[in-house]
PDB file of all heavy atoms in Angstrom:
ATOM      1  N   LYS A 466      74.688 187.020  97.314  1.00 91.00           N
ATOM      2  CA  LYS A 466      73.922 185.952  96.670  1.00 91.00           C
ATOM      3  C   LYS A 466      73.396 186.373  95.305  1.00 91.00           C
ATOM      4  O   LYS A 466      73.162 185.534  94.443  1.00 91.00           O
ATOM      5  CB  LYS A 466      72.760 185.525  97.568  1.00 91.00           C
ATOM      6  CG  LYS A 466      73.193 184.908  98.890  1.00 91.00           C
ATOM      7  CD  LYS A 466      71.994 184.502  99.737  1.00 91.00           C
ATOM      8  CE  LYS A 466      72.425 183.871 101.047  1.00 91.00           C
ATOM      9  NZ  LYS A 466      71.257 183.481 101.890  1.00 91.00           N
ATOM     10  N   LYS A 467      73.184 187.683  95.136  1.00 95.00           N
ATOM     11  CA  LYS A 467      72.628 188.184  93.876  1.00 95.00           C
ATOM     12  C   LYS A 467      73.562 189.251  93.311  1.00 95.00           C
ATOM     13  O   LYS A 467      74.118 190.056  94.062  1.00 95.00           O
ATOM     14  CB  LYS A 467      71.226 188.741  94.096  1.00 95.00           C
ATOM     15  CG  LYS A 467      70.222 187.683  94.560  1.00 95.00           C
ATOM     16  CD  LYS A 467      68.837 188.266  94.764  1.00 95.00           C
ATOM     17  CE  LYS A 467      67.864 187.183  95.219  1.00 95.00           C
ATOM     18  NZ  LYS A 467      66.502 187.717  95.425  1.00 95.00           N
ATOM     19  N   PHE A 468      73.686 189.264  91.991  1.00 96.00           N
ATOM     20  CA  PHE A 468      74.742 190.046  91.375  1.00 96.00           C
ATOM     21  C   PHE A 468      74.257 190.801  90.143  1.00 96.00           C
ATOM     22  O   PHE A 468      73.174 190.541  89.615  1.00 96.00           O
ATOM     23  CB  PHE A 468      75.902 189.134  90.961  1.00 96.00           C
ATOM     24  CG  PHE A 468      76.447 188.294  92.073  1.00 96.00           C
ATOM     25  CD1 PHE A 468      75.944 187.018  92.322  1.00 96.00           C
ATOM     26  CD2 PHE A 468      77.457 188.774  92.885  1.00 96.00           C
ATOM     27  CE1 PHE A 468      76.439 186.236  93.358  1.00 96.00           C
ATOM     28  CE2 PHE A 468      77.963 188.003  93.921  1.00 96.00           C
ATOM     29  CZ  PHE A 468      77.455 186.731  94.149  1.00 96.00           C
ATOM     30  N   ASN A 469      75.087 191.729  89.697  1.00 96.00           N
ATOM     31  CA  ASN A 469      74.990 192.327  88.388  1.00 96.00           C
ATOM     32  C   ASN A 469      76.418 192.593  87.927  1.00 96.00           C
ATOM     33  O   ASN A 469      77.368 192.436  88.709  1.00 96.00           O
ATOM     34  CB  ASN A 469      74.174 193.626  88.416  1.00 96.00           C
ATOM     35  CG  ASN A 469      73.496 193.936  87.092  1.00 96.00           C
ATOM     36  OD1 ASN A 469      74.112 193.872  86.037  1.00 96.00           O
ATOM     37  ND2 ASN A 469      72.214 194.266  87.152  1.00 96.00           N
ATOM     38  N   VAL A 470      76.586 192.982  86.674  1.00 96.00           N
ATOM     39  CA  VAL A 470      77.907 193.305  86.142  1.00 96.00           C
ATOM     40  C   VAL A 470      77.822 194.664  85.463  1.00 96.00           C
ATOM     41  O   VAL A 470      77.013 194.856  84.553  1.00 96.00           O
ATOM     42  CB  VAL A 470      78.384 192.244  85.138  1.00 96.00           C
ATOM     43  CG1 VAL A 470      79.732 192.652  84.544  1.00 96.00           C
ATOM     44  CG2 VAL A 470      78.493 190.870  85.809  1.00 96.00           C
ATOM     45  N   ARG A 471      78.633 195.613  85.939  1.00 95.00           N
ATOM     46  CA  ARG A 471      78.682 196.933  85.334  1.00 95.00           C
ATOM     47  C   ARG A 471      79.806 196.997  84.304  1.00 95.00           C
ATOM     48  O   ARG A 471      80.902 196.471  84.522  1.00 95.00           O
ATOM     49  CB  ARG A 471      78.916 198.007  86.396  1.00 95.00           C
ATOM     50  CG  ARG A 471      78.830 199.430  85.812  1.00 95.00           C
ATOM     51  CD  ARG A 471      79.049 200.511  86.847  1.00 95.00           C
ATOM     52  NE  ARG A 471      80.412 200.558  87.341  1.00 95.00           N
ATOM     53  CZ  ARG A 471      80.772 200.202  88.564  1.00 95.00           C
ATOM     54  NH1 ARG A 471      79.862 199.766  89.432  1.00 95.00           N
ATOM     55  NH2 ARG A 471      82.035 200.259  88.939  1.00 95.00           N
ATOM     56  N   VAL A 472      79.521 197.643  83.197  1.00 94.00           N
ATOM     57  CA  VAL A 472      80.492 197.802  82.122  1.00 94.00           C
ATOM     58  C   VAL A 472      81.091 199.201  82.216  1.00 94.00           C
ATOM     59  O   VAL A 472      80.355 200.202  82.214  1.00 94.00           O
ATOM     60  CB  VAL A 472      79.818 197.600  80.746  1.00 94.00           C
ATOM     61  CG1 VAL A 472      80.841 197.695  79.633  1.00 94.00           C
ATOM     62  CG2 VAL A 472      79.082 196.265  80.712  1.00 94.00           C
ATOM     63  N   ASN A 473      82.407 199.299  82.304  1.00 89.00           N
ATOM     64  CA  ASN A 473      83.104 200.572  82.446  1.00 89.00           C
ATOM     65  C   ASN A 473      83.758 200.938  81.109  1.00 89.00           C
ATOM     66  O   ASN A 473      84.520 200.145  80.549  1.00 89.00           O
ATOM     67  CB  ASN A 473      84.166 200.470  83.541  1.00 89.00           C
ATOM     68  CG  ASN A 473      83.601 199.927  84.838  1.00 89.00           C
ATOM     69  OD1 ASN A 473      82.678 200.503  85.405  1.00 89.00           O
ATOM     70  ND2 ASN A 473      84.131 198.803  85.313  1.00 89.00           N
ATOM     71  N   THR A 474      83.458 202.123  80.594  1.00 86.00           N
ATOM     72  CA  THR A 474      83.913 202.508  79.268  1.00 86.00           C
ATOM     73  C   THR A 474      84.835 203.721  79.318  1.00 86.00           C
ATOM     74  O   THR A 474      84.894 204.455  80.308  1.00 86.00           O
ATOM     75  CB  THR A 474      82.713 202.846  78.364  1.00 86.00           C
ATOM     76  OG1 THR A 474      82.025 203.992  78.908  1.00 86.00           O
ATOM     77  CG2 THR A 474      81.749 201.680  78.257  1.00 86.00           C
ATOM     78  N   PHE A 475      85.528 203.919  78.211  1.00 79.00           N
ATOM     79  CA  PHE A 475      86.306 205.144  77.997  1.00 79.00           C
ATOM     80  C   PHE A 475      85.970 205.670  76.612  1.00 79.00           C
ATOM     81  O   PHE A 475      86.143 204.974  75.618  1.00 79.00           O
ATOM     82  CB  PHE A 475      87.808 204.876  78.096  1.00 79.00           C
ATOM     83  CG  PHE A 475      88.621 206.125  77.889  1.00 79.00           C
ATOM     84  CD1 PHE A 475      88.885 206.977  78.937  1.00 79.00           C
ATOM     85  CD2 PHE A 475      89.100 206.458  76.630  1.00 79.00           C
ATOM     86  CE1 PHE A 475      89.624 208.135  78.741  1.00 79.00           C
ATOM     87  CE2 PHE A 475      89.829 207.616  76.420  1.00 79.00           C
ATOM     88  CZ  PHE A 475      90.087 208.451  77.479  1.00 79.00           C
ATOM     89  N   PRO A 476      85.445 206.893  76.529  1.00 77.00           N
ATOM     90  CA  PRO A 476      85.093 207.781  77.636  1.00 77.00           C
ATOM     91  C   PRO A 476      83.956 207.188  78.478  1.00 77.00           C
ATOM     92  O   PRO A 476      83.396 206.152  78.138  1.00 77.00           O
ATOM     93  CB  PRO A 476      84.678 209.057  76.940  1.00 77.00           C
ATOM     94  CG  PRO A 476      84.213 208.616  75.598  1.00 77.00           C
ATOM     95  CD  PRO A 476      85.083 207.469  75.216  1.00 77.00           C
ATOM     96  N   ALA A 477      83.637 207.858  79.588  1.00 77.00           N
ATOM     97  CA  ALA A 477      82.657 207.323  80.532  1.00 77.00           C
ATOM     98  C   ALA A 477      81.286 207.108  79.898  1.00 77.00           C
ATOM     99  O   ALA A 477      80.539 206.230  80.321  1.00 77.00           O
ATOM    100  CB  ALA A 477      82.530 208.248  81.743  1.00 77.00           C
ATOM    101  N   THR A 478      80.956 207.905  78.888  1.00 82.00           N
ATOM    102  CA  THR A 478      79.673 207.785  78.195  1.00 82.00           C
ATOM    103  C   THR A 478      79.925 207.485  76.725  1.00 82.00           C
ATOM    104  O   THR A 478      80.685 208.191  76.059  1.00 82.00           O
ATOM    105  CB  THR A 478      78.855 209.075  78.322  1.00 82.00           C
ATOM    106  OG1 THR A 478      78.656 209.371  79.714  1.00 82.00           O
ATOM    107  CG2 THR A 478      77.503 208.924  77.646  1.00 82.00           C
ATOM    108  N   VAL A 479      79.309 206.413  76.237  1.00 88.00           N
ATOM    109  CA  VAL A 479      79.371 206.061  74.814  1.00 88.00           C
ATOM    110  C   VAL A 479      77.933 205.972  74.299  1.00 88.00           C
ATOM    111  O   VAL A 479      76.977 206.116  75.067  1.00 88.00           O
ATOM    112  CB  VAL A 479      80.129 204.737  74.599  1.00 88.00           C
ATOM    113  CG1 VAL A 479      81.579 204.861  75.056  1.00 88.00           C
ATOM    114  CG2 VAL A 479      79.431 203.583  75.326  1.00 88.00           C
ATOM    115  N   GLY A 480      77.791 205.726  72.995  1.00 90.00           N
ATOM    116  CA  GLY A 480      76.441 205.609  72.447  1.00 90.00           C
ATOM    117  C   GLY A 480      75.647 204.511  73.124  1.00 90.00           C
ATOM    118  O   GLY A 480      74.611 204.749  73.755  1.00 90.00           O
ATOM    119  N   ASN A 481      76.145 203.287  73.035  1.00 92.00           N
ATOM    120  CA  ASN A 481      75.538 202.148  73.730  1.00 92.00           C
ATOM    121  C   ASN A 481      76.558 201.033  73.779  1.00 92.00           C
ATOM    122  O   ASN A 481      77.576 201.057  73.075  1.00 92.00           O
ATOM    123  CB  ASN A 481      74.261 201.685  73.024  1.00 92.00           C
ATOM    124  CG  ASN A 481      74.536 201.065  71.659  1.00 92.00           C
ATOM    125  OD1 ASN A 481      74.764 199.867  71.536  1.00 92.00           O
ATOM    126  ND2 ASN A 481      74.530 201.895  70.609  1.00 92.00           N
ATOM    127  N   VAL A 482      76.305 200.055  74.625  1.00 93.00           N
ATOM    128  CA  VAL A 482      77.153 198.867  74.685  1.00 93.00           C
ATOM    129  C   VAL A 482      76.294 197.645  74.402  1.00 93.00           C
ATOM    130  O   VAL A 482      75.175 197.518  74.916  1.00 93.00           O
ATOM    131  CB  VAL A 482      77.877 198.721  76.041  1.00 93.00           C
ATOM    132  CG1 VAL A 482      78.915 199.809  76.219  1.00 93.00           C
ATOM    133  CG2 VAL A 482      76.896 198.725  77.199  1.00 93.00           C
ATOM    134  N   GLN A 483      76.808 196.766  73.552  1.00 93.00           N
ATOM    135  CA  GLN A 483      76.141 195.504  73.250  1.00 93.00           C
ATOM    136  C   GLN A 483      76.857 194.407  74.017  1.00 93.00           C
ATOM    137  O   GLN A 483      78.075 194.265  73.917  1.00 93.00           O
ATOM    138  CB  GLN A 483      76.162 195.229  71.754  1.00 93.00           C
ATOM    139  CG  GLN A 483      75.356 196.235  70.943  1.00 93.00           C
ATOM    140  CD  GLN A 483      75.088 195.766  69.530  1.00 93.00           C
ATOM    141  OE1 GLN A 483      75.163 194.590  69.220  1.00 93.00           O
ATOM    142  NE2 GLN A 483      74.740 196.713  68.656  1.00 93.00           N
ATOM    143  N   LEU A 484      76.088 193.632  74.776  1.00 94.00           N
ATOM    144  CA  LEU A 484      76.643 192.639  75.692  1.00 94.00           C
ATOM    145  C   LEU A 484      76.042 191.273  75.423  1.00 94.00           C
ATOM    146  O   LEU A 484      74.843 191.145  75.176  1.00 94.00           O
ATOM    147  CB  LEU A 484      76.370 193.049  77.145  1.00 94.00           C
ATOM    148  CG  LEU A 484      76.892 194.429  77.560  1.00 94.00           C
ATOM    149  CD1 LEU A 484      76.287 194.853  78.887  1.00 94.00           C
ATOM    150  CD2 LEU A 484      78.411 194.409  77.650  1.00 94.00           C
ATOM    151  N   GLU A 485      76.892 190.253  75.522  1.00 94.00           N
ATOM    152  CA  GLU A 485      76.411 188.875  75.390  1.00 94.00           C
ATOM    153  C   GLU A 485      77.160 187.987  76.371  1.00 94.00           C
ATOM    154  O   GLU A 485      78.389 187.876  76.320  1.00 94.00           O
ATOM    155  CB  GLU A 485      76.604 188.348  73.977  1.00 94.00           C
ATOM    156  CG  GLU A 485      76.076 186.918  73.808  1.00 94.00           C
ATOM    157  CD  GLU A 485      76.176 186.399  72.382  1.00 94.00           C
ATOM    158  OE1 GLU A 485      76.598 187.162  71.495  1.00 94.00           O
ATOM    159  OE2 GLU A 485      75.840 185.223  72.162  1.00 94.00           O
ATOM    160  N   LEU A 486      76.417 187.363  77.277  1.00 94.00           N
ATOM    161  CA  LEU A 486      76.954 186.394  78.222  1.00 94.00           C
ATOM    162  C   LEU A 486      76.574 184.998  77.744  1.00 94.00           C
ATOM    163  O   LEU A 486      75.404 184.740  77.435  1.00 94.00           O
ATOM    164  CB  LEU A 486      76.382 186.638  79.621  1.00 94.00           C
ATOM    165  CG  LEU A 486      76.877 185.699  80.725  1.00 94.00           C
ATOM    166  CD1 LEU A 486      78.328 186.015  81.109  1.00 94.00           C
ATOM    167  CD2 LEU A 486      75.978 185.796  81.966  1.00 94.00           C
ATOM    168  N   SER A 487      77.543 184.099  77.695  1.00 93.00           N
ATOM    169  CA  SER A 487      77.269 182.726  77.292  1.00 93.00           C
ATOM    170  C   SER A 487      77.977 181.769  78.231  1.00 93.00           C
ATOM    171  O   SER A 487      78.814 182.160  79.028  1.00 93.00           O
ATOM    172  CB  SER A 487      77.728 182.491  75.842  1.00 93.00           C
ATOM    173  OG  SER A 487      79.123 182.713  75.717  1.00 93.00           O
TER     174      SER A 487
END
Side-chain angles (χ1 to χ4, degrees):
K466 296 180 179 180
K467 297 180 180 180
F468 305 91
N469 207 312
V470 177
R471 186 180 69 250
V472 183
N473 308 301
T474 63
F475 180 85
T478 302
V479 297
N481 68 89
V482 292
Q483 295 195 20
L484 303 167
E485 181 176 357
L486 181 73
S487 61

